[in-house]
Structure formats: structure tokens, C-alpha cells
Amino acid sequence: MTQTASAPPATRSPAAPQAAAPGQPAPPPVAQLVKGRIATWFEGTPGRMRALLIVAAIVSVVFGLAAAQGYNQSDGALQRAEANTAQLVRIQAIHTNLVSANADATNAFLVGGLEPPAQRQHFVDSMATAARLISEAATAQPADQKALGELNATLLTYQGLIEQARANNRQGLPIGSQYLKDASATLQGDSLPVLKELVKANQSRVNTEFDGINDGNLWLIVAGLLALAVLVGCLVWLAKRSHRYLNLPIAAAAALVLFTMVVGGASLAGSSSDAKETRNEAFADTLALSQARISAYDAKSNESLTLIARGSGAAFEDAWKKAADNTGSQLGRVERGVGLAPLWNRYRAVHVEIRNEDDRGNWDAAVEKAIGENNISSNAAFKAFDDRSSRDLSRFSETARAELSQARNDLPPIGWLGLPIGIVAALLAAWGFSQRLEEYR
């Protein structure tokens, strides 16, 4: 009798979750269980303590972050103000070198034939300096690159016309004067307007950054007042509930916030005040003197063009008067430029003598007063003003940049201390609440 093989034992599948019996409620989902436990955790006085602990810790950390942000904003504004100030001075220097070169070219043209080597070299050096500064400005401020490229294109045309004027002047050809007038017109009509727009753009950037330096203090003050309100509120609430008048850890957290507000706020305000003083003094003097020098060179160019025109230079004389008046006006704004106005007035007096000679028909005598090498010539009087104003401009510019740099150095170190301060205040608040929570266990 054969036996059949026994069947393998049946495997048991995992038990499926049993459905609720008919008529019984379904078990609550996990989300509801978690929600219920959280609600239980915040019930009663201990629960309210836990809630206040979390709020106090959060506002303390937020205060630390805001303090760091306030520092970074003021520091960044000072840094950008310093950089934009340097760019503005650079653009002004380009302008000055170009009008200086043009003044050399027009004045040398009066000599006839080969111009004086020193004057020619000064023209070459001024154009080379302008080209170098254009390259530096394009690198320093990408927003100015397009305009500076347009400026370079106009200068190529200007230099070409100047060389045509020189070549014809060496040969004694009258057409050389027309090339010179065209070159000056190109500089005045094409090149300088580009520079004026660049000056406006950079002036606007500088003003924006100066105005934004004090905004960093708002972060510190607003966040500090919020943190103090919460911490003081916690102290009052605990005093009423626990009948203890002072919770030392939370009081220490409030004191830390208050100390940071006072010291940090005073330092930020001091740096802002220093920057404002720089803006109103050294920076303002730099801009005014730079504008004065630009107008002065413009006047010197028009003086030469008036003589080159030989009796038909009324338009150039009007341009001279406008430029000379603007120079005097700008010098009046330079608070620390003592001695510049008398030097400029001396040059203006020589120019009047030149015009008197030319108007009487003594053209040769007028030219001699313009280009002569003696101490009473227009060139000598203008050089005295040029040398002194150049030194003063360098001093004002360096002072402005140094003062802005010092204002940055005087900022409090809450840029990297802000968050640690906030964390310490949060830990102190947590410690203070934990002491009271222990009493309910």
C-alpha cells in the first residue's frame, strides 16, 4: 500500500489590519494623535510657559540675525560708497585730463610751426593718462563700460583731427585752424557729454550709498525693541504666575539685548555721522574743486581759440566767460581751498589784458601775453593755479577715501557676533523658563 506524500504546511500570510467592528468608531489617524499630544503639551500654565519659552528663544535669535544684518548693510554701504567715490573721482580725472590736453593743443597752436616740446609732451601725457583711467574705470564699474567704450570712439576722432591740425600748422596752412576748431567741437559735443552723464550716474550711486549707511541701525533698533518687549513681557508674566519678582536668566538675556542695542547702535550711528561729515566736507570739496579745474581748462582752451579766430572769436569769448564764472563759483564751494581764488583771479586779470590788446588790434602783443614764458603771461598765471589746485584735489580725494575707510573700521564687530549673541540670549531665556517648569514636575 503506497503512501501519499504529505502536503507542506500552509504558510501564514501576515495578518491584515482588522477593520473596526461594525458600529464601533475608526481609530484616529496619526496626524490627529500628534496634534492631540501637542495640544496636551501646551495645556495649562506649564504649557503656556513652554510656548513663551519658544517665542522668547525665536525673537532672541532673530535679534541676533537682525543685528548682524544691520552691521552688514552699513558696512556694505560704506564699502560701496568708498568704491563709487573712487570711480567718480576717476571719471572726473578723465574729464580733467581731456580738457587739459585740449588746452595744450590750442595754446601750442598759437606758437605756429613746431609747438613747444614740453607742451606737446604734456598733451601726450594727458591723453595717455585719460586712456589709462578709462580702462581702470571700465574694470572698476561694469555699469559704465558701454559709455566708456563710446567715449573711446570719440577720442579716436578727436586725436585724428588734432594731428591734422598739427600737420597743417607746421606747414603754415590756414586750414589747420579749422581742424583744431573741429577737434575742440568734437571734444565738446561728443566726448564731454558722455563724461557728464557718467558723472551724474556715479554721483547718484554715491548719494544712494551715503543715504543707506544709517539704514543698518534700523535693523538693530526694531529687532532689539521687539526682543526686549517679549523678554520683559515674559518676566512680568512669570512674576505674576510664580510670585517671584525676578527671573535672573531671562533678565540677563534682556540686559544682553539692551547692551547690544546701545553699544551697537551708538557705534553704527557714529560711523554714519562720520560718513555724513565726509560727504559734506572732503567729498564735497573734491567734487567742487574737480569741477573748478575742468571749467578752468575749458576757459584756457577758449582763450586760445579766441585768438586763433583773429577777430571772429566772439563765441569763444562768451564760452570763456561762462567757464571762468563757473570756475569761480565752484571755488567758492571749496571750504578748505584757501588761496585758490586769488590765483584764479590773477589768471582772469591777465585774460582781460589779452582781450584789451586784441581788441585794440595788437594781436601779436595779445598772443605774447597768452603764451609768453615770463611770469606775467597767461600761461604762467594759469600754471600757478593748476599746480596748487592739483595738489589740493589729491589731498581732498585721499582724505575722503581715508575717512570712509576709517568709518568702516569703527563699526562694531556685531557682524560676526550678532548670531552668537542671539543664541546666548535664547539659551538664557530657555534656562529661566526651565527653572519654573521644574516646579511642576
Side-chain angles (χ1 to χ4, degrees):
M1 179 174 178
T2 60
Q3 287 185 328
T4 58
S6 60
T11 58
R12 305 179 68 182
S13 59
Q18 295 183 356
Q24 293 184 354
V30 175
Q32 290 185 4
L33 289 174
V34 172
K35 184 177 180 180
R37 291 189 179 185
I38 291 176
T40 302
W41 200 63
F42 287 110
E43 283 181 352
T45 299
R48 285 189 285 275
M49 284 186 183
R50 295 186 186 99
L52 288 174
L53 184 157
I54 293 172
V55 172
I58 290 174
V59 296
S60 297
V61 173
V62 168
F63 166 74
L65 292 172
Q69 173 62 24
Y71 166 86
N72 291 331
Q73 182 162 332
S74 293
D75 180 69
L78 279 168
Q79 187 174 9
R80 290 187 297 272
E82 183 180 352
N84 288 324
T85 296
Q87 179 73 347
L88 181 57
V89 171
R90 198 177 289 118
I91 296 296
Q92 297 275 37
I94 295 171
H95 198 156
T96 304
N97 276 279
L98 291 181
V99 292
S100 171
N102 195 53
D104 286 329
T106 53
N107 191 259
F109 198 86
L110 288 170
V111 177
L114 291 175
E115 62 265 49
Q119 203 164 34
R120 172 61 183 171
Q121 187 60 48
H122 191 267
F123 171 87
V124 173
D125 291 344
S126 295
M127 293 301 296
T129 300
R132 175 178 58 80
L133 290 172
I134 288 172
S135 177
E136 291 179 4
T139 302
Q141 178 54 268
D144 293 340
Q145 288 178 355
K146 182 179 179 181
L148 290 169
E150 294 174 359
L151 176 63
N152 261 331
T154 66
L155 292 181
L156 291 175
T157 302
Y158 168 77
Q159 288 181 286
L161 291 170
I162 288 292
E163 292 307 314
Q164 290 279 6
R166 291 182 63 240
N168 284 280
N169 191 42
R170 285 197 300 269
Q171 300 175 50
L173 299 176
I175 195 174
S177 62
Q178 186 58 50
Y179 277 114
L180 185 66
K181 292 175 186 176
D182 290 345
S184 293
T186 297
L187 189 71
Q188 293 290 337
D190 298 336
S191 303
L192 299 189
V194 175
L195 284 168
K196 289 176 182 177
E197 289 302 315
L198 285 170
V199 167
K200 288 181 182 179
N202 283 281
Q203 177 74 68
S204 177
R205 294 185 192 114
V206 171
N207 289 336
T208 298
E209 299 307 336
F210 271 120
D211 292 339
I213 291 172
N214 195 44
D215 291 347
N217 222 351
L218 294 177
W219 287 87
L220 184 66
I221 293 173
V222 172
L225 290 176
L226 175 62
L228 281 176
V230 171
L231 292 172
V232 171
C234 290
L235 285 171
V236 172
W237 187 87
L238 282 174
K240 290 180 178 179
R241 294 298 185 277
S242 64
H243 303 292
R244 289 185 174 88
Y245 294 109
L246 184 64
N247 186 295
L248 288 178
I250 299 179
L256 179 61
V257 170
L258 181 61
F259 177 79
T260 304
M261 276 184 64
V262 172
V263 175
S267 299
L268 287 172
S271 293
S272 177
S273 177
D274 291 343
K276 183 178 180 180
E277 183 177 347
T278 299
R279 179 186 193 176
N280 294 333
E281 295 180 5
F283 178 68
D285 285 349
T286 299
L287 292 186
L289 184 52
S290 181
Q291 287 293 336
R293 282 172 52 80
I294 289 170
S295 295
Y297 277 117
D298 193 21
K300 194 70 172 74
S301 297
N302 281 294
E303 177 182 89
S304 300
L305 289 170
T306 303
L307 292 172
I308 292 171
R310 286 180 175 265
S312 58
F316 295 120
E317 177 61 15
D318 289 342
W320 182 92
K321 291 177 180 178
K322 183 178 180 181
D325 289 344
N326 188 52
T327 298
S329 175
Q330 293 295 336
L331 288 176
R333 300 178 183 180
V334 181
E335 295 183 359
R336 290 175 286 184
V338 180
L340 288 173
L343 292 174
W344 178 246
N345 290 333
R346 172 57 186 154
Y347 162 73
R348 295 186 70 156
V350 177
H351 176 81
V352 172
E353 295 174 6
I354 292 172
R355 293 310 319 140
N356 289 336
E357 293 287 356
D358 191 27
D359 292 341
R360 288 195 296 263
N362 297 329
W363 187 83
D364 290 334
V367 170
E368 180 60 26
K369 279 188 175 293
I371 65 175
E373 297 181 359
N374 53 57
N375 292 331
I376 61 173
S377 70
S378 172
N379 282 356
F382 188 86
K383 186 177 186 303
F385 168 79
D386 182 29
D387 291 346
R388 173 66 182 274
S389 61
S390 177
R391 292 194 300 271
D392 284 353
L393 181 61
S394 296
R395 178 165 55 88
F396 296 159
S397 175
E398 287 302 317
T399 299
R401 293 164 76 175
E403 288 179 355
L404 287 174
S405 179
Q406 184 60 44
R408 286 186 62 206
N409 294 334
D410 290 342
L411 286 173
I414 57 175
W416 56 273
L417 280 178
L419 183 57
I421 288 172
I423 292 174
V424 169
L427 292 174
L428 287 170
W431 182 18
F433 275 107
S434 66
Q435 290 179 343
R436 301 287 81 83
L437 285 169
E438 287 293 332
E439 299 172 357
Y440 284 87
R441 293 184 180 179

